[in-house]
Amino acid sequence: MRRKSSRLNARTVALIVTTVGAAALTAYTVHDLREFKESRQARSLEVGQRAGIRVAEALDETLSEVSERATEYSKVVARIDSEPELLESIKKESFRFPLVMGVTVAFEPGAFAGKERYSPFFNKARDEFQFIEQAYDYTSRELETAKWYTAVVESGKARWSEPYFAKAAETMVVDYGVPVVDDEGRTIGIVDYAISLSDFTRIVDALSVGEAGYGFTYDETGAILSHPNPIYLLQNVFQLRDGKNEAIVNSLREDAEGVVAYNSTYTYKHSWFFFRELKSTGWKSVLVFAEDDLLGASDEGRRKIIQIGIGIGLLLIALLALLALVQGVDGFNRKELWRLATLTSLVLLGNIVLIWYLNVTTDFSRFDHDVERIVNDTILDNYVEQSDAELYKLVNARYSKVPTGIFIESYELSSFEASIIGKLWMKYPKDLYETAPPGFYLPDVSALETRGLVQTKLADVEYDDYVLVTWRFRVTLEEDFSYRQYPFEQNDVALRILYPDFSKNVLLVPDLQSYDILNPSVRPGLNPDVSVPSSETIASFFTLSNAEFKTTFGNRRLVKSYPMLTFHMVFKRNYLNPFVANIIPILIVVMMMFVVLYISSRKQDGRAGLTTMNVIQSSAGFLFILILAHVNERARIETPEIAYIELFYFSMYLYITVQTLALAAMFRGVDWKLFEWEDNLILKLSFWPLLLAIWFAFTLARFY
């Protein structure tokens, strides 16, 4: 009796220690995940605030230079009394700042050379003068479009105008006007520096970073002066909601600087909203970033959630075992053991499902740090500059850039091929059109002639500085898909595009301006109604990388690698069909195996007619069913790898074999302690936990 009590005490102590250890592990993993998230959030805020300050200071510096120069130039204009000299001076001044689209000098009636009104504006885009007095009366107090002039003259002070549509420039602009004062202190006119809102947007965008990050500015009234999506220009940020509540709007209106969080309907991501007032203008610059854009995407969060699942599972099992032991009079009773086995099985199954869920809901392409997604002009410019520098070192030349866009109308997938129908366009520079005619080359076209590239030129539309060339194409590409995680795998259709003649140094670059939103999760360049029965497209984006051909193709050019434009479509398999086709039959076989094991007995009269031959025959039937399903699945995916789904088949082959041998040995009267306790209860209790533990082990190994 004392020995039994000693064993019970030892078990109790062991279970208490295990329970405490499991609780400590769970607490640690939960704390670790929380600390990880808080740390990333804190670092995101720090990086974002630094970026916000950097952008605000850069804009302030640029705008301050404009305002300071405008003040100086107003004094220069006051001393000019010759029309040719004035026009020459205005033209020269207009080219001083890249941001300024043109300079206007406007005079009060009769204040210059006796002219009734005189207001020359030099338009840099057209390289010509436009005379505003010929378009409308800029001195009229009743015209909204004349406030750029009248507000400065009336106040006698330099000021930034509210945004308006400039008739002469035919675009939305914001102006900085400074009074021109003569020697007697009278205001005789103004000098005005016009900034196009579209040009201002490009400046802000160049300072912004990140895949889903973007920048915009707004003035004191809330009017948006710059935004990557033109439809937002001149809308009032204080009236827009787009995921922002009233507290956020009040902060944007009242605070000089700050940060708020909201779900952006522009990027479709939870984002940080960093804003800061510009000292030079009173406007506010805003940077919007998702957390991953500031620190880079990380898979650590998913792994830590898996760790928490394991910790919670161990804690639940340990608690139930301890409770069962405490309630039992003489150790564990049969009922409590079945409860413990059931809970253990459910915990293992729950962890398997958790890993599946995390894998299905995670875009793993974000963690590929070897490939940089081109989602803004800054990333593109950096890559182009690097490519130009490398080419210049080799052949003393630079690339001719051709903006190229893709729109995928539909596509279908097979084991290692992707069939695509879509449109491709190029904004082809006119100076290249004759010496290097437009065209494209797809290096991954299928070797089967019937599945090759079919292209049809749809249009050549001529613009001022380029020709828009559009093709429609149909192609089947060979792709290097991986099936290691099938049916929960993620793959990438890569449409690689090159200019055919490498000796011409033509570099195809993504035409970013032709896409409203470049956030990969919004799937730019992809037909929103595209439907692929076997898969779901979760992202699309452009990249630029070097193609290593290891040959010059007979050209004199020494470079054996070439910058290559690639359009990616990331997809995940719709797992329901392969899941039903494979897992359901496996589960049915497992249940039948458990029934055979459950009715087995060491006693002849307790076997319900079950014999050794019956066990062997049923096992052979189970093996035949599974092998047939396995072979069919293997033929369907045609992969040289061992797919994840196949591990279930291999585990079942092993399990069926071991169970058959064990039952045959028991029926033959082999005297193993494994069979003796409670009439083979150990095998029956361990059937589900052991099988699910095997499944959990290889699931963790494949997906962690």
Side-chain angles (χ1 to χ4, degrees), residues 93-398:
E93 186 66 19
S94 296
F95 286 96
R96 181 178 290 272
F97 299 106
L99 177 62
V100 174
M101 65 173 295
V103 173
T104 305
V105 175
F107 291 97
E108 285 283 89
F112 184 80
K115 295 179 180 290
E116 181 180 355
R117 285 186 300 274
Y118 188 58
S119 180
F121 161 65
F122 184 76
N123 190 328
K124 284 198 301 186
R126 297 184 178 182
D127 194 26
E128 66 180 16
F129 275 100
Q130 296 171 284
F131 295 90
I132 297 174
E133 71 274 11
Q134 297 175 4
Y136 63 95
D137 182 4
Y138 62 85
T139 64
S140 173
R141 269 63 173 173
E142 298 176 358
L143 293 178
E144 285 291 323
T145 54
K147 283 190 175 181
W148 61 271
Y149 178 84
T150 57
V152 176
V153 171
E154 288 177 359
S155 66
K157 296 179 180 179
R159 67 187 296 274
W160 287 95
S161 73
E162 294 181 6
Y164 68 97
F165 182 79
K167 290 184 178 180
E170 297 181 346
T171 188
M172 299 302 302
V173 300
V174 63
D175 294 313
Y176 185 73
V178 179
V180 177
V181 181
D182 63 13
D183 295 337
E184 299 177 2
R186 294 177 303 174
T187 298
I188 60 173
I190 73 167
V191 294
D192 181 271
Y193 288 65
I195 298 175
S196 165
L197 295 191
S198 59
D199 291 339
F200 193 45
T201 295
R202 280 193 286 272
I203 294 293
V204 175
D205 186 57
L207 294 169
S208 306
V209 295
E211 288 193 359
Y214 64 96
F216 69 92
T217 56
Y218 61 94
D219 66 13
E220 299 94 328
T221 66
I224 295 177
L225 306 178
S226 67
H227 197 284
N229 190 337
I231 67 171
Y232 285 93
L233 292 178
L234 294 189
Q235 293 191 33
N236 196 293
V237 72
F238 303 145
Q239 296 175 355
L240 295 175
R241 288 302 177 262
D242 285 356
K244 302 186 291 290
N245 57 31
E246 197 62 39
I248 291 175
V249 171
N250 287 336
S251 181
L252 294 173
R253 181 190 292 114
E254 305 296 338
D255 298 341
E257 61 179 289
V259 55
V260 293
Y262 76 103
N263 291 313
S264 171
T265 56
Y266 175 66
T267 61
Y268 301 96
K269 283 190 174 184
H270 183 76
S271 303
W272 294 107
F273 198 99
F274 302 91
F275 62 94
R276 187 178 180 87
E277 186 175 298
L278 304 181
K279 297 177 182 178
S280 59
T281 61
W283 304 341
K284 289 179 183 175
S285 69
V286 185
L287 288 183
V288 184
F289 293 114
E291 183 178 277
D292 286 348
D293 293 303
L294 295 168
L295 299 180
S298 172
D299 197 27
E300 281 300 306
R302 183 184 67 90
R303 292 194 178 102
K304 291 181 185 299
I305 292 174
I306 293 175
Q307 294 169 7
I308 291 174
I310 295 173
I312 292 175
L314 290 175
L315 179 60
L316 289 174
I317 294 171
L319 284 173
L320 183 61
L322 182 61
L323 182 63
L325 184 61
V326 170
Q327 290 180 346
V329 178
D330 187 18
F332 295 109
N333 59 48
R334 193 182 187 98
K335 185 177 180 181
E336 295 297 337
L337 286 172
W338 276 113
R339 285 182 182 175
L340 184 59
T342 302
L343 177 64
T344 303
S345 301
L346 291 175
V347 165
L348 290 167
L349 180 61
N351 275 279
I352 292 172
V353 173
L354 174 64
I355 294 174
W356 287 349
Y357 171 78
L358 292 174
N359 191 77
V360 167
T361 56
T362 301
D363 177 8
F364 292 95
S365 68
R366 297 184 300 117
F367 310 137
D368 186 359
H369 300 297
D370 294 331
V371 177
E372 186 169 23
R373 304 178 181 193
I374 299 177
V375 293
N376 58 45
D377 288 320
T378 303
I379 298 174
L380 176 59
D381 291 344
N382 289 339
Y383 187 89
V384 169
E385 288 175 9
Q386 181 181 349
S387 299
D388 274 342
E390 292 174 356
L391 182 65
Y392 192 81
K393 290 178 183 178
L394 293 171
V395 295
N396 198 30
R398 300 188 187 280

Side-chain angles (χ1 to χ4, degrees), residues 62 64-74 76 88-103 122 124 193-194:
T62 300
S64 293
E65 288 176 355
V66 171
S67 59
E68 290 171 4
R69 175 56 191 171
T71 301
E72 295 175 6
Y73 187 60
S74 68
V76 174
E88 181 64 27
S89 175
I90 293 173
K91 181 176 181 179
K92 182 179 179 180
E93 186 66 19
S94 296
F95 286 96
R96 181 178 290 272
F97 299 106
L99 177 62
V100 174
M101 65 173 295
V103 173
F122 184 76
K124 284 198 301 186
Y193 288 65

Side-chain angles (χ1 to χ4, degrees), residues 607-643:
R607 296 179 184 174
L610 193 63
T611 65
T612 302
M613 187 55 63
N614 295 146
V615 171
I616 294 174
Q617 289 173 343
S618 62
S619 298
F622 297 153
L623 283 171
F624 177 77
I625 293 171
L626 293 179
I627 290 173
L628 185 62
H630 187 183
V631 170
N632 288 337
E633 189 62 37
R634 187 74 186 174
R636 185 159 49 246
I637 59 177
E638 297 180 346
T639 175
E641 302 172 299
I642 300 297

